[in-house]
Amino acid sequence: MGKCKSCANRKRLYRKSTCGYYADKKYYCTERETMTDNVSGCERWERKMVEIDLSKARFDKVEEDLKCIEKYCAKCDN
């Protein structure tokens, strides 16, 4: 039995504020459908699968996003 901190079923909660959304310090278990903390654990624990996307399409998208950010920052400087 693993801990919730390293479980694939643990998801972070996001809350809406006046300036958009922010990550809350609380987590939710999608298997038990309850709030959870880092030290809890259960029999439904699953290992997190970390997938790294190093495809050309991903890098092209990042370059496109950086150009948009650069344009936005140039507007703000003027």
Side-chain angles (χ1 to χ4, degrees), residues 68-78:
C68 289
I69 292 170
E70 183 179 27
K71 287 179 188 176
Y72 178 77
C73 289
K75 272 188 196 178
C76 292
D77 288 341
N78 294 332

Side-chain angles (χ1 to χ4, degrees), residues 13-24:
L13 291 178
Y14 290 85
R15 294 188 183 255
K16 188 173 182 177
S17 70
T18 56
C19 299
Y21 290 89
Y22 69 94
D24 200 347

Side-chain angles (χ1 to χ4, degrees), residues 46-62:
E46 291 181 26
R47 181 178 301 280
K48 284 185 184 179
M49 298 299 295
V50 179
E51 296 178 7
I52 300 172
D53 182 7
L54 298 176
S55 66
K56 177 155 176 39
R58 177 69 176 135
F59 281 100
D60 291 343
K61 176 71 172 132
V62 169

